[in-house]
Amino acid sequence: MTSTPRSFPSTGSLMRCPASTQPGRCRWRRLPSLLLACSLAGAANAATPDATRTRAYIDHAWSTLTRSQDDCASLVDTKVASHPVLYVPAGQPVPPKVTEVGKRCGVDVRPLPRTVTQLGDIDATQLPQQGLLYLPHPYVVPGGFFNEMYGWDSYFIVLGLVADHRTELAKAMVDNALYEVANYGGVLNANRTYYLSRSQPPFLTAMMAEVLDDPASFPNAEARRAWLADAYPLAVRNYEIWTRPEHRAGDTGLARYYDLGSGPVLEAKDSEYYKGVIRWLRAHPSEDPGYLIKASEHPSDAEAAKLKDSSCDVRASHVCEGAWLDGYRLTADYYHGDRAMRESGFDTNAHFGPFGGSTHHYADVSLNSLLYRYERDLHDFALQLGKAGDAERWTKAAEARKAAMDKYLWRPELGMYRDYDFVAGKPSPYPYVTTFYPLWAGAASKEQADGVRQSLPVFERKGGLSMDNRPAGVQWGAPFGWAPTNWLAVSGLDAYGFHDDARRIAGKFMATVDQGLADDGTIREKYNMVLGNAEVKVSAGYSENVIGFGWTNGVYLKLLEIQQQTAAKPAAPIHTK
């Protein structure tokens, strides 16, 4: 597959990045039969947008997107060319069904080399082979060729499953996330060994709350309390990922995204993505934040030893070795930013530097909003478990985070939250749709929420909310919009009493999904907010618009709930001081 060229920020120069080098996720080439049939039928018979048809598609798609590790097809990973491997936690007996699956599917079942207590305990580069990480329960994958359970996708999928009364599967996904914390160090980017060094946006407690608030999830109050008692310490352990020194945003009291590995990501099959970054930076030297260093294509041992610290290990990684162009390589700091970008979920963006290469330099509005909500959720869980001391601790943590957000992230003169570059000591000059996250989290005052609402024209388009107002040829930028960011904005606006705005944006995004389905018979990963359809052409980074699609399905159902509210309601309670 080739991508359509599109200009990067503030330039007219074009670049190509092969779809095979997309960041953050891995490919599954066997298109689910139902979705393929829908796609072909839709392409041949484009129809008038019909919400009923969209709803029927979602209803069928849940089963199509569900995976279980007793199904051989669920164990496929096209990034690993060798014999497939399923890893199980060290020091634990292999479940008999896993042994049986290994024999039936021709998959090697191996224990991890050591017990994992936190992210980074296992250096995946030292594993003899990359593979899938065992999960005990069925799960819903995003769609298309994504064949594993993803971290932040799962929250929006769980929203949809609960809304669709598929409670057992929703709870299974939350239990899988908790299993990851207990056995792999945290909720992972996805359950693959090459993700053992990074997490994704922290929605675990929000997932737990969805299940806990659904009466159908547990047979009685005692079972609910017992489940929460087991889950609570794991939720705390997952929270501690974000308070480790590596995840601290300097001395701001806020957090940043940061992958605990170094060098090119292990899921990259080849060096083409990184060569594309070098090519673009060479063509636009005034926009290079310092990502390039001069180096040899075939360095001597002495130069290779230096590059191990200044760039990456050319002797250990063929991707690193090949990431050379025109006499230049990428710095070690760029690789840290590239990895952090993938942990953020916004891969690829132009907001945190070209190609997101400075992501780890920012105290991010989205991350700290999620952590504020996480702290408030832990407070509520602690109270339910009779842990008054813990509840007070979480109250203080949330208050401290809100104060830091007000100091570093809130821009009163703009009526927006802006990401803060703590390395440079200044806020981002560019708006991003994550300014709505504090409303979803309940971290904004009424005055701040009023200001954020006034920024809607910066993002609102025919099809919903765009990521920003700076078209850059990247999928996490204008003119594109996504189900998760649209839902968090709609939910936040609704919670603060801006019901008309919430319903209007919900209607726009739903109409966009309906239009896409009418055009080609599928529901997509992302959409064009200017056109109000699924026409997405991306040139930098991951360029495909995948069908399925789990989080779009889930968000559509939640937006439908917003639309079905026929009368104004009082603002929902919010956690503010």
Side-chain angles (χ1 to χ4, degrees), residues 6-8 10-15 280 283-284:
R6 183 181 294 262
S7 61
F8 209 67
S10 306
T11 76
S13 181
L14 306 178
M15 62 168 292
W280 188 88
H284 309 95

CSV table of all heavy atoms in Angstrom, one decimal, residues 6-8 10-15 280 283-284:
chain,number,residue,atom,x,y,z
A,6,ARG,N,1.1,14.4,1.4
A,6,ARG,CA,0.5,15.6,2.0
A,6,ARG,C,1.5,16.4,2.7
A,6,ARG,O,2.5,15.9,3.3
A,6,ARG,CB,-0.7,15.2,3.0
A,6,ARG,CG,-1.4,16.4,3.6
A,6,ARG,CD,-2.5,15.8,4.6
A,6,ARG,NE,-3.5,15.0,3.9
A,6,ARG,CZ,-4.7,15.5,3.5
A,6,ARG,NH1,-5.0,16.8,3.8
A,6,ARG,NH2,-5.6,14.8,3.0
A,7,SER,N,1.4,17.7,2.8
A,7,SER,CA,2.4,18.5,3.4
A,7,SER,C,2.4,18.4,4.9
A,7,SER,O,1.4,18.2,5.5
A,7,SER,CB,2.3,20.0,2.9
A,7,SER,OG,1.0,20.5,3.4
A,8,PHE,N,3.6,18.6,5.5
A,8,PHE,CA,3.8,18.6,6.9
A,8,PHE,C,3.7,20.0,7.4
A,8,PHE,O,3.5,20.9,6.6
A,8,PHE,CB,5.1,17.9,7.3
A,8,PHE,CG,5.1,17.2,8.6
A,8,PHE,CD1,4.3,16.1,8.8
A,8,PHE,CD2,5.8,17.7,9.7
A,8,PHE,CE1,4.3,15.5,10.0
A,8,PHE,CE2,5.8,17.1,10.9
A,8,PHE,CZ,5.0,16.0,11.1
A,10,SER,N,3.5,23.8,8.1
A,10,SER,CA,4.1,25.0,7.6
A,10,SER,C,5.0,24.8,6.4
A,10,SER,O,5.9,25.6,6.2
A,10,SER,CB,4.9,25.7,8.7
A,10,SER,OG,4.1,25.9,9.9
A,11,THR,N,4.8,23.8,5.6
A,11,THR,CA,5.6,23.6,4.4
A,11,THR,C,4.8,23.2,3.3
A,11,THR,O,3.6,22.8,3.4
A,11,THR,CB,6.6,22.5,4.6
A,11,THR,OG1,6.0,21.2,4.5
A,11,THR,CG2,7.3,22.6,6.0
A,12,GLY,N,5.3,23.3,2.1
A,12,GLY,CA,4.7,22.7,0.9
A,12,GLY,C,5.4,21.5,0.4
A,12,GLY,O,5.0,21.0,-0.6
A,13,SER,N,6.4,21.1,1.1
A,13,SER,CA,7.2,19.9,0.7
A,13,SER,C,6.4,18.7,1.1
A,13,SER,O,5.8,18.6,2.1
A,13,SER,CB,8.5,19.9,1.3
A,13,SER,OG,9.3,18.8,0.9
A,14,LEU,N,6.5,17.6,0.3
A,14,LEU,CA,5.8,16.4,0.6
A,14,LEU,C,6.7,15.3,0.9
A,14,LEU,O,7.8,15.2,0.6
A,14,LEU,CB,4.9,16.1,-0.7
A,14,LEU,CG,4.0,17.2,-1.2
A,14,LEU,CD1,3.4,16.7,-2.5
A,14,LEU,CD2,3.0,17.6,-0.2
A,15,MET,N,6.1,14.3,1.7
A,15,MET,CA,6.8,13.1,2.0
A,15,MET,C,5.9,11.9,2.0
A,15,MET,O,4.7,12.0,2.0
A,15,MET,CB,7.4,13.3,3.5
A,15,MET,CG,6.3,13.4,4.5
A,15,MET,SD,7.0,13.3,6.2
A,15,MET,CE,7.5,11.5,6.2
A,280,TRP,N,12.3,14.2,5.9
A,280,TRP,CA,11.5,15.4,6.1
A,280,TRP,C,12.3,16.5,6.8
A,280,TRP,O,12.3,17.7,6.4
A,280,TRP,CB,10.2,15.1,6.8
A,280,TRP,CG,9.3,16.3,6.9
A,280,TRP,CD1,8.3,16.6,5.9
A,280,TRP,CD2,9.3,17.3,7.9
A,280,TRP,NE1,7.7,17.8,6.3
A,280,TRP,CE2,8.3,18.2,7.5
A,280,TRP,CE3,10.0,17.5,9.0
A,280,TRP,CZ2,8.0,19.4,8.2
A,280,TRP,CZ3,9.7,18.7,9.8
A,280,TRP,CH2,8.7,19.6,9.4
A,283,ALA,N,14.7,18.2,4.6
A,283,ALA,CA,14.1,19.1,3.7
A,283,ALA,C,13.6,20.4,4.3
A,283,ALA,O,13.4,21.4,3.7
A,283,ALA,CB,12.9,18.4,3.0
A,284,HIS,N,13.5,20.3,5.7
A,284,HIS,CA,13.0,21.5,6.4
A,284,HIS,C,13.9,21.7,7.6
A,284,HIS,O,13.4,21.6,8.8
A,284,HIS,CB,11.5,21.2,6.9
A,284,HIS,CG,10.6,20.8,5.7
A,284,HIS,ND1,10.4,19.4,5.5
A,284,HIS,CD2,10.0,21.5,4.8
A,284,HIS,CE1,9.6,19.3,4.4
A,284,HIS,NE2,9.3,20.6,4.0
